[in-house]
Amino acid sequence: MEKIAFTLNNKPIEIEVDANDILLTVLRSKLGFTGTKYGCGIGYCGACTILVNGEAMRSCTMAVSEIAGQQVTTIEGLAIGDDLHPVQQSFVMNDAQQCGFCTPGMIMNAVGLLNDNPNPSREEIVKGMNDNLCRCGSYNRIADAVESAAKSMNGGTK
Ligand code: FES
Ligand code: FES
């Protein structure tokens, strides 16, 4: 066991873990942040997507030791108080979820995409979201949500 210090949802944290423990398991089972979902467990579906230093990453294939000293954000850390993040608001407004299982990973991936490219074209949104899977097939509404979130974050009306 060893101590790993990092920032989780803007709060410094230190935990005692096996350095090889999988980050997704630590987040869900040790720290209780169950918003991040376990889908495939092999880096394929995107359900476990989180942000590391603002970049979308898959937590199911990451050893917890990799995030020592880094800034980690989960779906629980996006809202500020009662104010949802614009991407969360946009998913609600666009009805971009059915069962909702893929939604936290989709939202985190979208935030990472918009951090990287604040004004993406529809094609860039589809490409950027393409590796996150939705078994309910909500892809069009998810792309709509990301598109309108980008507009709203850029001062647009939608
Ligand atoms: S659970 Fe991590 S990519 Fe599927
Ligand atoms: S809304 Fe059900 S998996 Fe995407």
Side-chain angles (χ1 to χ4, degrees):
M1 298 289 267
E2 64 181 81
K3 287 189 175 157
I4 306 252
F6 60 104
T7 302
L8 179 59
N9 297 335
N10 293 320
K11 290 190 189 128
I13 180 172
E14 187 173 81
I15 50 174
E16 200 163 307
V17 283
D18 183 323
N20 294 320
D21 283 350
I22 295 298
L23 178 57
L24 174 60
T25 310
V26 172
L27 288 172
R28 287 181 56 84
S29 301
K30 190 172 177 81
L31 299 172
F33 286 81
T34 54
T36 308
K37 300 301 179 205
Y38 183 104
C40 64
I42 53 170
Y44 184 68
C45 73
C48 64
T49 304
I50 57 163
L51 300 179
V52 179
N53 303 326
E55 188 182 340
M57 313 272 279
R58 298 194 165 184
S59 59
C60 72
T61 51
M62 194 177 286
V64 68
S65 57
E66 292 180 58
I67 48 101
Q70 313 295 312
Q71 305 260 356
V72 174
T73 310
T74 66
I75 190 75
E76 290 91 344
L78 275 191
I80 299 176
D82 289 338
D83 294 330
L84 293 178
H85 185 282
V87 174
Q88 291 176 301
Q89 284 175 10
S90 190
F91 268 66
V92 173
M93 297 301 289
N94 286 276
D95 257 340
Q97 60 280 311
Q98 287 187 50
C99 77
F101 193 83
C102 71
T103 310
M106 288 286 183
I107 289 174
M108 299 314 282
N109 195 65
V111 173
L113 189 160
L114 296 177
N115 283 344
D116 191 45
N117 178 4
N119 197 12
S121 65
R122 180 80 177 195
E123 198 180 3
E124 287 168 332
I125 290 170
V126 170
K127 192 164 172 232
M129 299 299 294
N130 198 38
D131 289 339
N132 279 59
L133 304 184
C134 173
R135 295 191 69 170
C136 301
S138 303
Y139 294 110
N140 279 336
R141 280 176 286 148
I142 289 167
D144 289 346
V146 180
E147 200 169 12
S148 49
K151 279 186 194 148
S152 109
M153 291 164 81
N154 286 312
T157 53
K158 213 177 160 194

